[in-house]
Amino acid sequence: MLSVAVLFGCRAESESVEPEVTPEVEAPPPVEAPPVVRVEPPPRLEYEFTAVDPVDEPAEVIEFRDVVVTPDGERGFAVGRATFGGRAVLLELNEGRWAAGTLPTLPSGAQLTDVVTDETGRHAWAIGVALASDVTPLVLRRDDAVWSMDEAALAVLAAMSPTATPSAIALTPDARDGWLFGGDFSEEQMRYVGACARFDGQTWTLHPAPDHQEVFAVWISRDGTQGWAAGRRAGAMTLSDGRWTQTEVLADRSTVGVWFDDSGREGWAVGNHISRFEEGSWATVLPEQQEYYPGLWFHPTGATGFIVGEPGRGAGLGSRWIDGQWAPLTHELLAAQQNYAVALSEDATQGWIVGNGNLIHMVGTPP
């Protein structure tokens, strides 16, 4: 047995040992960085405005509160309530036509106030409240043409308070990140108690945030890393590293709309004021007035934008940001009723303004 061990464990001295040759391994090709998507400012356009009726009923019997469209402008959603009958209204835009979406059974007195969508229009959320004998929060989710109650979002609100209602929502274009704000007035604490939830691409979970902020408007960047939220005269909040932090800016104003470019260096806020964010600070562009400016849309570059609001003096009727200043919108269709929201395609060639009995199509063409 020993000779066998030696035979397998040793080499004879007379044997020459050939050096092992390590085969050459080709270096992997360098990893190319993903292309930077640059959004160019839209050309200068002149707009025509046309009143449109949905397929199912005339627009004049609907109080629209919000509208959103996909970047190509082909799909979108508008929400509100019927002027008579106490029911929620949700319309879907497809191939230039608005038609009623199929909603689950909702409590009486339901109304929808805000709507967001991903860049494809396949996934969307609408929030609101039903005001009947009891206050019922509403969070609706759309997946592949089917609307249903978002039970996870409602559970987050219920965990805070049985009567907590949603007040603002934002979503990234790929629907992998989002934020939902809501709350309720606490008679025990004699103050508003708020909370927020974060969407991870699948479901909502409770997330810490300053609990006394009643949020009406929230914006998040396309990658979800930055955000701004503001509301009723209690300052604003900024999002960084996944956390919301209270700031004192805008503390003396009520804000219902906010927008920033992707760099987070330029932004706008509207409500009973119009304020601009530049070089790290806010400045009021138009002073606080009685007019209300709930609707705000800006091109991703900040080159052009629109606000709409209540008919009145100044920018209350509606204005367009162009050539570095606000120019009033004076079309007669905009003067008929209060307008609540505006949304355009990314190239700014088509869009919609909605309000109390208004569903107005905007088409932009070169002058």
Side-chain angles (χ1 to χ4, degrees):
M1 296 295 294
L2 179 61
S3 61
V4 175
V6 171
L7 178 63
F8 282 89
C10 305
R11 291 182 182 269
E13 293 182 0
S14 60
E15 292 180 346
S16 60
V17 179
E18 296 291 335
E20 295 184 0
V21 178
T22 303
E24 293 185 2
V25 179
E26 294 185 4
V31 178
E32 295 184 1
V36 177
V37 179
R38 300 187 183 278
V39 180
E40 297 296 329
R44 187 182 185 93
L45 302 172
E46 299 294 335
Y47 288 90
E48 291 290 334
F49 301 88
T50 306
V52 174
D53 281 328
V55 173
D56 310 272
E57 59 187 327
E60 65 183 13
V61 300
I62 302 173
E63 183 180 316
F64 294 100
R65 299 305 300 266
D66 199 13
V67 63
V68 64
V69 296
T70 54
D72 60 10
E74 295 299 318
R75 305 186 68 181
F77 305 93
V79 297
R81 68 180 183 92
T83 307
F84 304 100
R87 59 180 175 84
V89 172
L90 189 150
L91 301 182
E92 299 181 349
L93 174 66
N94 191 19
E95 297 182 352
R97 291 165 59 88
W98 289 97
T102 303
L103 297 178
T105 302
L106 301 178
S108 61
Q111 55 184 308
L112 298 174
T113 57
D114 299 83
V115 62
V116 293
T117 183
D118 70 351
E119 58 193 356
T120 69
R122 293 178 55 196
H123 307 287
W125 277 260
I127 63 173
V129 63
L131 299 173
S133 56
D134 296 319
V135 177
T136 304
L138 301 175
V139 181
L140 304 178
R141 176 174 178 170
R142 184 185 193 270
D143 292 302
D144 298 327
V146 178
W147 287 95
S148 61
M149 286 290 194
D150 193 327
E151 299 297 342
L154 292 172
V156 170
L157 292 173
M160 185 196 64
S161 168
T163 56
T165 56
S167 59
I169 188 170
L171 189 69
T172 56
D174 59 8
R176 294 183 178 179
D177 201 353
W179 292 90
L180 172 68
F181 286 84
D184 186 26
F185 182 82
S186 171
E187 294 185 359
E188 179 180 350
Q189 302 182 42
M190 293 303 295
R191 67 180 180 91
Y192 183 86
V193 178
C196 73
R198 187 172 191 177
F199 184 69
D200 61 6
Q202 298 295 326
T203 190
W204 300 90
T205 54
L206 192 64
H207 198 275
D211 69 354
H212 63 281
Q213 174 72 60
E214 186 173 8
V215 173
F216 295 151
V218 57
W219 168 89
I220 56 174
S221 59
R222 296 188 180 203
D223 60 7
T225 60
Q226 302 180 77
W228 275 84
R232 188 193 302 276
R233 296 182 179 272
M237 293 185 291
T238 59
L239 174 66
S240 180
D241 297 326
R243 296 187 62 86
W244 291 96
T245 305
Q246 186 81 22
T247 175
E248 294 302 318
V249 298
L250 301 176
D252 61 339
R253 302 176 179 92
S254 291
T255 299
V256 294
V258 64
W259 171 89
F260 274 80
D261 66 5
D262 277 340
S263 71
R265 294 191 292 268
E266 181 179 355
W268 291 89
V270 297
N272 58 0
H273 66 102
I274 300 176
S275 298
R276 187 179 188 182
F277 185 84
E278 281 187 303
E279 299 179 357
S281 63
W282 287 94
T284 301
V285 176
L286 294 180
E288 183 173 326
Q289 305 174 44
Q290 293 181 350
E291 288 88 351
Y292 203 48
Y293 317 103
L296 169 69
W297 176 90
F298 260 88
H299 187 266
T301 63
T304 188
F306 291 86
I307 56 173
V308 295
E310 181 179 353
R313 65 186 185 278
L317 170 64
S319 290
R320 178 186 180 187
W321 178 257
I322 187 169
D323 297 333
Q325 60 184 353
W326 287 106
L329 298 175
T330 57
H331 198 278
E332 59 183 6
L333 288 176
L334 303 178
Q337 300 286 347
Q338 175 160 344
N339 299 302
Y340 287 105
V342 55
L344 282 81
S345 58
E346 193 166 272
D347 62 8
T349 58
Q350 58 178 318
W352 298 87
I353 294 174
V354 300
N356 188 6
N358 284 347
L359 182 58
I360 301 170
H361 191 204
M362 306 168 55
V363 176
T365 56

